[in-house]
């Protein structure tokens, strides 16, 4: 059974099929009784864009639930951090094996990252569909 991420949020705007929802992302210690005396507790306001064919049924100021899978989050972290690290290391080591020129190897590794993030940018529409939250009314 897949684990689910649930966030409670407030609709900030509705434009066409896009719903902008504000969520509060709190640190693990935000619910602690001593948080007022501790400097480590923090929370951040984030805006999440949801694409839904039922966007017309949501109103600005309405409280909603956003749901997504933990697997989706882990996959997003891999594509954002894991794959670039593996690519960087592979290009660095391969270039060092071929040329033994360290500055060139470093430049090639960084250039490969630029290409990688360029490909991610070109595929942003596909990734947006794959990594999206679903929205539900709170009854």
């Amino acid at each position: 059974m897949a684990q689910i991420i649930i966030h409670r949020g407030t609709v900030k705007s509705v434009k066409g099929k896009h719903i902008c929802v504000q969520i509060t992302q709190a640190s693990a210690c935000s619910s602690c009784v001593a948080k007022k005396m501790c400097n480590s507790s923090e929370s951040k306001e984030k805006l999440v864009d949801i694409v839904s064919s039922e966007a017309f049924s949501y109103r600005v100021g309405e409280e909603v639930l956003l749901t997504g899978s933990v697997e989706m989050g882990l996959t997003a972290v891999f594509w954002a951090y894991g794959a670039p690290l593996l690519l960087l290391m592979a290009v660095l080591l391969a270039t060092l094996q071929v040329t033994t020129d360290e500055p060139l190897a470093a430049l090639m590794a960084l250039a490969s990252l630029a290409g990688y993030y360029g490909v991610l940018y070109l595929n942003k529409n596909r990734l947006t569909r794959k990594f999206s939250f679903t929205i539900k009314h709170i009854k």
Side-chain angles (χ1 to χ4, degrees):
M1 184 172 156
Q3 293 179 347
I4 296 177
I5 300 169
I6 299 174
H7 284 289
R8 189 178 200 120
T10 305
V11 175
K12 289 296 175 188
S13 67
V14 179
K15 294 177 185 166
K17 291 185 176 185
H18 293 267
I19 308 163
C20 183
V21 179
Q22 180 179 13
I23 62 171
T24 302
Q25 185 178 24
S27 65
C29 56
S30 67
S31 60
C32 178
V33 193
K35 71 179 178 182
K36 291 185 180 181
M37 293 186 256
C38 178
N39 292 331
S40 67
S41 66
E42 62 181 60
S43 65
K44 296 178 186 175
E45 299 291 323
K46 300 224 177 183
L47 295 176
V48 180
D49 186 41
I50 309 294
V51 178
S52 173
S53 59
E54 297 179 8
F56 63 89
S57 67
Y58 294 93
R59 302 287 174 244
V60 174
E62 178 181 0
E63 288 213 22
V64 293
L65 284 179
L66 300 181
T67 58
S69 70
V70 171
E71 180 183 337
M72 175 187 69
L74 293 175
T75 304
V77 168
F78 171 76
W79 287 113
Y81 300 108
L85 176 64
L86 294 174
L87 176 66
L88 179 96
M89 295 304 294
V91 171
L92 182 68
L93 294 175
T95 306
L96 279 175
Q97 285 292 326
V98 173
T99 67
T100 66
D101 185 7
E102 290 179 6
L104 176 64
L107 285 174
M108 293 294 288
L110 291 175
S112 71
L113 286 182
Y116 174 80
Y117 285 115
V119 169
L120 280 186
Y121 180 78
L122 292 174
N123 287 299
K124 68 181 177 183
N125 290 336
R126 180 183 295 166
L127 293 170
T128 299
R129 286 190 304 269
K130 187 174 182 178
F131 301 116
S132 62
F133 284 95
T134 57
I135 187 168
K136 295 178 185 175
H137 292 279
I138 296 178
K139 297 178 182 179

